[in-house]
Amino acid sequence: MDKSKYLRLFVDESGENIRSYVNELLTCEKLTDSDADKERRVQALDAVFRAAHSIKGMAASMGFDAMTQLAHVLEELADYGRRGEPLLEEDYDMLIEGGDVLEDMLH
């Protein structure tokens, strides 16, 4: 199968998912430990999870193994947080850095 015709679609959709991923992480940085913010953090991490999951699936279908593996690790970390488990500052740093690396890989 000639995947080159799907490359533009992959780049466009992955770019949108990465932007969503980064924006939701930026939202998390602004939140406090209030009950309302805790709920919003879970919602943001759910969106991060979904974006990473979509990137993982699209990258796998295109045969981009390194991108698939990174997205999988980021997806698992976001899943941990969206289930209400506390994420450390280092975890958020890893999620943010991972988003930067995904973006670099995409370009």
Side-chain angles (χ1 to χ4, degrees):
M1 177 171 92
D2 180 18
K3 294 180 184 177
S4 64
K5 63 183 178 180
Y6 299 107
L7 185 58
R8 181 81 263 155
L9 180 64
F10 168 77
V11 170
D12 291 345
E13 288 190 20
S14 293
E16 288 177 27
N17 278 300
I18 290 170
R19 281 187 293 283
S20 171
Y21 176 102
V22 170
N23 287 335
E24 293 296 338
L25 283 175
L26 292 174
T27 296
C28 285
E29 283 187 329
K30 298 173 188 171
L31 299 174
T32 66
D33 287 333
S34 71
D35 288 339
D37 280 356
K38 286 179 185 177
E39 183 176 328
R40 177 62 183 108
R41 182 175 288 110
V42 168
Q43 292 171 349
L45 288 169
D46 189 50
V48 169
F49 170 85
R50 287 190 316 272
H53 181 77
S54 294
I55 293 165
K56 178 185 77 172
M58 290 184 297
S61 69
M62 295 297 293
F64 299 143
D65 296 335
M67 192 174 205
T68 302
Q69 291 171 4
L70 175 58
H72 178 70
V73 169
L74 298 172
E75 173 191 42
E76 287 186 336
L77 184 54
D79 186 42
Y80 185 77
R82 78 182 185 141
R83 290 180 305 187
E85 300 295 332
L87 294 180
L88 304 172
E89 184 175 331
E90 295 84 22
D91 297 326
Y92 284 105
D93 290 345
M94 185 187 309
L95 286 167
I96 290 168
E97 190 173 320
D100 291 342
V101 173
L102 284 175
E103 190 167 21
D104 289 346
M105 292 173 123
L106 185 62
H107 294 291

mmCIF file of all heavy atoms in Angstrom, residues 11-39:
data_model
loop_
_atom_site.group_PDB
_atom_site.id
_atom_site.type_symbol
_atom_site.label_atom_id
_atom_site.label_comp_id
_atom_site.label_asym_id
_atom_site.label_seq_id
_atom_site.Cartn_x
_atom_site.Cartn_y
_atom_site.Cartn_z
ATOM 1 N N VAL A 11 0.053 14.334 8.812
ATOM 2 C CA VAL A 11 0.714 15.535 9.319
ATOM 3 C C VAL A 11 -0.315 16.535 9.834
ATOM 4 O O VAL A 11 -0.168 17.088 10.932
ATOM 5 C CB VAL A 11 1.620 16.165 8.240
ATOM 6 C CG1 VAL A 11 2.112 17.537 8.661
ATOM 7 C CG2 VAL A 11 2.809 15.241 7.934
ATOM 8 N N ASP A 12 -1.366 16.763 9.065
ATOM 9 C CA ASP A 12 -2.394 17.724 9.480
ATOM 10 C C ASP A 12 -3.089 17.291 10.764
ATOM 11 O O ASP A 12 -3.223 18.078 11.709
ATOM 12 C CB ASP A 12 -3.430 17.919 8.368
ATOM 13 C CG ASP A 12 -2.872 18.649 7.164
ATOM 14 O OD1 ASP A 12 -1.785 19.261 7.268
ATOM 15 O OD2 ASP A 12 -3.513 18.589 6.095
ATOM 16 N N GLU A 13 -3.554 16.062 10.810
ATOM 17 C CA GLU A 13 -4.290 15.585 11.985
ATOM 18 C C GLU A 13 -3.391 15.463 13.212
ATOM 19 O O GLU A 13 -3.807 15.795 14.321
ATOM 20 C CB GLU A 13 -4.988 14.265 11.676
ATOM 21 C CG GLU A 13 -6.166 14.449 10.746
ATOM 22 C CD GLU A 13 -7.029 13.208 10.620
ATOM 23 O OE1 GLU A 13 -6.973 12.326 11.507
ATOM 24 O OE2 GLU A 13 -7.763 13.123 9.634
ATOM 25 N N SER A 14 -2.171 15.012 13.011
ATOM 26 C CA SER A 14 -1.240 14.915 14.142
ATOM 27 C C SER A 14 -0.905 16.300 14.670
ATOM 28 O O SER A 14 -0.802 16.499 15.884
ATOM 29 C CB SER A 14 0.033 14.176 13.724
ATOM 30 O OG SER A 14 -0.256 12.831 13.439
ATOM 31 N N GLY A 15 -0.737 17.267 13.767
ATOM 32 C CA GLY A 15 -0.481 18.642 14.195
ATOM 33 C C GLY A 15 -1.613 19.185 15.046
ATOM 34 O O GLY A 15 -1.378 19.830 16.079
ATOM 35 N N GLU A 16 -2.846 18.929 14.639
ATOM 36 C CA GLU A 16 -4.006 19.362 15.430
ATOM 37 C C GLU A 16 -4.015 18.689 16.797
ATOM 38 O O GLU A 16 -4.304 19.340 17.815
ATOM 39 C CB GLU A 16 -5.299 19.035 14.687
ATOM 40 C CG GLU A 16 -5.568 19.906 13.486
ATOM 41 C CD GLU A 16 -6.829 19.496 12.736
ATOM 42 O OE1 GLU A 16 -7.738 18.919 13.365
ATOM 43 O OE2 GLU A 16 -6.885 19.766 11.527
ATOM 44 N N ASN A 17 -3.718 17.408 16.824
ATOM 45 C CA ASN A 17 -3.697 16.681 18.103
ATOM 46 C C ASN A 17 -2.579 17.182 19.006
ATOM 47 O O ASN A 17 -2.765 17.295 20.221
ATOM 48 C CB ASN A 17 -3.570 15.179 17.863
ATOM 49 C CG ASN A 17 -4.895 14.549 17.540
ATOM 50 O OD1 ASN A 17 -5.822 14.601 18.337
ATOM 51 N ND2 ASN A 17 -5.004 13.967 16.364
ATOM 52 N N ILE A 18 -1.427 17.492 18.439
ATOM 53 C CA ILE A 18 -0.328 18.007 19.248
ATOM 54 C C ILE A 18 -0.688 19.376 19.819
ATOM 55 O O ILE A 18 -0.418 19.659 20.990
ATOM 56 C CB ILE A 18 0.983 18.056 18.438
ATOM 57 C CG1 ILE A 18 1.480 16.625 18.175
ATOM 58 C CG2 ILE A 18 2.053 18.866 19.169
ATOM 59 C CD1 ILE A 18 2.620 16.522 17.184
ATOM 60 N N ARG A 19 -1.324 20.234 19.030
ATOM 61 C CA ARG A 19 -1.747 21.542 19.540
ATOM 62 C C ARG A 19 -2.734 21.379 20.693
ATOM 63 O O ARG A 19 -2.641 22.073 21.715
ATOM 64 C CB ARG A 19 -2.344 22.393 18.425
ATOM 65 C CG ARG A 19 -1.287 23.042 17.539
ATOM 66 C CD ARG A 19 -1.866 24.021 16.541
ATOM 67 N NE ARG A 19 -2.703 23.395 15.519
ATOM 68 C CZ ARG A 19 -2.238 22.730 14.467
ATOM 69 N NH1 ARG A 19 -0.938 22.567 14.305
ATOM 70 N NH2 ARG A 19 -3.062 22.205 13.577
ATOM 71 N N SER A 20 -3.682 20.479 20.554
ATOM 72 C CA SER A 20 -4.647 20.219 21.624
ATOM 73 C C SER A 20 -3.926 19.697 22.868
ATOM 74 O O SER A 20 -4.193 20.144 23.989
ATOM 75 C CB SER A 20 -5.684 19.203 21.148
ATOM 76 O OG SER A 20 -6.501 18.786 22.214
ATOM 77 N N TYR A 21 -3.026 18.765 22.660
ATOM 78 C CA TYR A 21 -2.223 18.167 23.733
ATOM 79 C C TYR A 21 -1.509 19.269 24.524
ATOM 80 O O TYR A 21 -1.605 19.343 25.745
ATOM 81 C CB TYR A 21 -1.238 17.200 23.082
ATOM 82 C CG TYR A 21 -0.244 16.534 23.976
ATOM 83 C CD1 TYR A 21 -0.420 15.223 24.391
ATOM 84 C CD2 TYR A 21 0.924 17.193 24.373
ATOM 85 C CE1 TYR A 21 0.528 14.595 25.191
ATOM 86 C CE2 TYR A 21 1.864 16.576 25.161
ATOM 87 C CZ TYR A 21 1.661 15.277 25.576
ATOM 88 O OH TYR A 21 2.593 14.667 26.371
ATOM 89 N N VAL A 22 -0.806 20.138 23.819
ATOM 90 C CA VAL A 22 -0.031 21.201 24.464
ATOM 91 C C VAL A 22 -0.953 22.199 25.166
ATOM 92 O O VAL A 22 -0.695 22.587 26.315
ATOM 93 C CB VAL A 22 0.872 21.911 23.430
ATOM 94 C CG1 VAL A 22 1.492 23.169 24.013
ATOM 95 C CG2 VAL A 22 1.951 20.960 22.938
ATOM 96 N N ASN A 23 -2.027 22.606 24.521
ATOM 97 C CA ASN A 23 -2.953 23.565 25.131
ATOM 98 C C ASN A 23 -3.554 23.033 26.420
ATOM 99 O O ASN A 23 -3.708 23.770 27.396
ATOM 100 C CB ASN A 23 -4.057 23.952 24.149
ATOM 101 C CG ASN A 23 -3.553 24.851 23.047
ATOM 102 O OD1 ASN A 23 -2.565 25.559 23.203
ATOM 103 N ND2 ASN A 23 -4.235 24.825 21.917
ATOM 104 N N GLU A 24 -3.913 21.765 26.441
ATOM 105 C CA GLU A 24 -4.497 21.181 27.654
ATOM 106 C C GLU A 24 -3.459 21.077 28.764
ATOM 107 O O GLU A 24 -3.769 21.277 29.937
ATOM 108 C CB GLU A 24 -5.116 19.817 27.358
ATOM 109 C CG GLU A 24 -6.332 19.884 26.462
ATOM 110 C CD GLU A 24 -7.514 20.631 27.070
ATOM 111 O OE1 GLU A 24 -7.611 20.769 28.308
ATOM 112 O OE2 GLU A 24 -8.372 21.078 26.278
ATOM 113 N N LEU A 25 -2.208 20.800 28.401
ATOM 114 C CA LEU A 25 -1.157 20.775 29.425
ATOM 115 C C LEU A 25 -0.918 22.172 29.993
ATOM 116 O O LEU A 25 -0.684 22.328 31.195
ATOM 117 C CB LEU A 25 0.146 20.213 28.852
ATOM 118 C CG LEU A 25 0.175 18.702 28.688
ATOM 119 C CD1 LEU A 25 1.459 18.271 27.989
ATOM 120 C CD2 LEU A 25 0.042 17.999 30.030
ATOM 121 N N LEU A 26 -0.981 23.178 29.142
ATOM 122 C CA LEU A 26 -0.837 24.558 29.616
ATOM 123 C C LEU A 26 -1.972 24.913 30.571
ATOM 124 O O LEU A 26 -1.761 25.632 31.557
ATOM 125 C CB LEU A 26 -0.786 25.526 28.436
ATOM 126 C CG LEU A 26 0.461 25.419 27.555
ATOM 127 C CD1 LEU A 26 0.334 26.328 26.340
ATOM 128 C CD2 LEU A 26 1.723 25.732 28.342
ATOM 129 N N THR A 27 -3.165 24.405 30.305
ATOM 130 C CA THR A 27 -4.288 24.598 31.216
ATOM 131 C C THR A 27 -3.971 23.994 32.581
ATOM 132 O O THR A 27 -4.226 24.615 33.619
ATOM 133 C CB THR A 27 -5.569 23.972 30.637
ATOM 134 O OG1 THR A 27 -5.917 24.664 29.437
ATOM 135 C CG2 THR A 27 -6.724 24.023 31.622
ATOM 136 N N CYS A 28 -3.411 22.790 32.577
ATOM 137 C CA CYS A 28 -3.068 22.116 33.835
ATOM 138 C C CYS A 28 -2.105 22.949 34.677
ATOM 139 O O CYS A 28 -2.221 22.984 35.909
ATOM 140 C CB CYS A 28 -2.447 20.752 33.564
ATOM 141 S SG CYS A 28 -3.617 19.494 33.049
ATOM 142 N N GLU A 29 -1.158 23.611 34.017
ATOM 143 C CA GLU A 29 -0.181 24.413 34.752
ATOM 144 C C GLU A 29 -0.823 25.558 35.520
ATOM 145 O O GLU A 29 -0.300 25.987 36.540
ATOM 146 C CB GLU A 29 0.853 24.993 33.781
ATOM 147 C CG GLU A 29 1.880 24.013 33.313
ATOM 148 C CD GLU A 29 2.976 24.681 32.494
ATOM 149 O OE1 GLU A 29 2.699 25.691 31.802
ATOM 150 O OE2 GLU A 29 4.104 24.196 32.555
ATOM 151 N N LYS A 30 -1.948 26.056 35.031
ATOM 152 C CA LYS A 30 -2.602 27.218 35.631
ATOM 153 C C LYS A 30 -3.547 26.842 36.766
ATOM 154 O O LYS A 30 -4.040 27.718 37.475
ATOM 155 C CB LYS A 30 -3.383 27.984 34.559
ATOM 156 C CG LYS A 30 -2.513 28.524 33.459
ATOM 157 C CD LYS A 30 -3.353 29.115 32.362
ATOM 158 C CE LYS A 30 -2.494 29.483 31.162
ATOM 159 N NZ LYS A 30 -3.284 29.872 30.009
ATOM 160 N N LEU A 31 -3.824 25.564 36.944
ATOM 161 C CA LEU A 31 -4.826 25.129 37.909
ATOM 162 C C LEU A 31 -4.242 25.021 39.313
ATOM 163 O O LEU A 31 -3.061 24.761 39.498
ATOM 164 C CB LEU A 31 -5.419 23.789 37.476
ATOM 165 C CG LEU A 31 -6.141 23.803 36.128
ATOM 166 C CD1 LEU A 31 -6.566 22.402 35.734
ATOM 167 C CD2 LEU A 31 -7.341 24.738 36.171
ATOM 168 N N THR A 32 -5.115 25.184 40.294
ATOM 169 C CA THR A 32 -4.733 25.063 41.701
ATOM 170 C C THR A 32 -5.172 23.685 42.208
ATOM 171 O O THR A 32 -5.593 22.830 41.439
ATOM 172 C CB THR A 32 -5.414 26.168 42.530
ATOM 173 O OG1 THR A 32 -6.831 25.932 42.520
ATOM 174 C CG2 THR A 32 -5.112 27.543 41.964
ATOM 175 N N ASP A 33 -5.120 23.518 43.514
ATOM 176 C CA ASP A 33 -5.552 22.251 44.112
ATOM 177 C C ASP A 33 -6.994 22.302 44.608
ATOM 178 O O ASP A 33 -7.424 21.429 45.363
ATOM 179 C CB ASP A 33 -4.625 21.866 45.272
ATOM 180 C CG ASP A 33 -3.272 21.386 44.771
ATOM 181 O OD1 ASP A 33 -3.210 20.866 43.636
ATOM 182 O OD2 ASP A 33 -2.280 21.526 45.506
ATOM 183 N N SER A 34 -7.764 23.309 44.193
ATOM 184 C CA SER A 34 -9.166 23.380 44.604
ATOM 185 C C SER A 34 -9.943 22.223 43.976
ATOM 186 O O SER A 34 -9.513 21.639 42.982
ATOM 187 C CB SER A 34 -9.787 24.713 44.184
ATOM 188 O OG SER A 34 -9.964 24.746 42.775
ATOM 189 N N ASP A 35 -11.088 21.897 44.561
ATOM 190 C CA ASP A 35 -11.895 20.795 44.043
ATOM 191 C C ASP A 35 -12.321 21.038 42.589
ATOM 192 O O ASP A 35 -12.295 20.126 41.763
ATOM 193 C CB ASP A 35 -13.127 20.557 44.916
ATOM 194 C CG ASP A 35 -12.756 19.925 46.249
ATOM 195 O OD1 ASP A 35 -11.658 19.326 46.347
ATOM 196 O OD2 ASP A 35 -13.561 20.020 47.186
ATOM 197 N N ALA A 36 -12.714 22.265 42.276
ATOM 198 C CA ALA A 36 -13.134 22.582 40.907
ATOM 199 C C ALA A 36 -11.964 22.417 39.938
ATOM 200 O O ALA A 36 -12.136 21.891 38.831
ATOM 201 C CB ALA A 36 -13.681 24.003 40.839
ATOM 202 N N ASP A 37 -10.792 22.861 40.359
ATOM 203 C CA ASP A 37 -9.625 22.730 39.496
ATOM 204 C C ASP A 37 -9.179 21.280 39.351
ATOM 205 O O ASP A 37 -8.666 20.884 38.306
ATOM 206 C CB ASP A 37 -8.475 23.596 40.004
ATOM 207 C CG ASP A 37 -8.620 25.057 39.620
ATOM 208 O OD1 ASP A 37 -9.575 25.392 38.892
ATOM 209 O OD2 ASP A 37 -7.769 25.862 40.034
ATOM 210 N N LYS A 38 -9.381 20.490 40.391
ATOM 211 C CA LYS A 38 -9.030 19.068 40.290
ATOM 212 C C LYS A 38 -9.862 18.394 39.210
ATOM 213 O O LYS A 38 -9.350 17.602 38.421
ATOM 214 C CB LYS A 38 -9.226 18.359 41.634
ATOM 215 C CG LYS A 38 -8.169 18.692 42.643
ATOM 216 C CD LYS A 38 -8.426 17.987 43.966
ATOM 217 C CE LYS A 38 -7.412 18.426 45.002
ATOM 218 N NZ LYS A 38 -7.657 17.835 46.310
ATOM 219 N N GLU A 39 -11.144 18.732 39.164
ATOM 220 C CA GLU A 39 -12.014 18.162 38.134
ATOM 221 C C GLU A 39 -11.580 18.634 36.751
ATOM 222 O O GLU A 39 -11.531 17.851 35.805
ATOM 223 C CB GLU A 39 -13.469 18.542 38.386
ATOM 224 C CG GLU A 39 -14.425 17.910 37.397
ATOM 225 C CD GLU A 39 -15.874 18.224 37.715
ATOM 226 O OE1 GLU A 39 -16.210 18.376 38.902
ATOM 227 O OE2 GLU A 39 -16.665 18.306 36.765
#
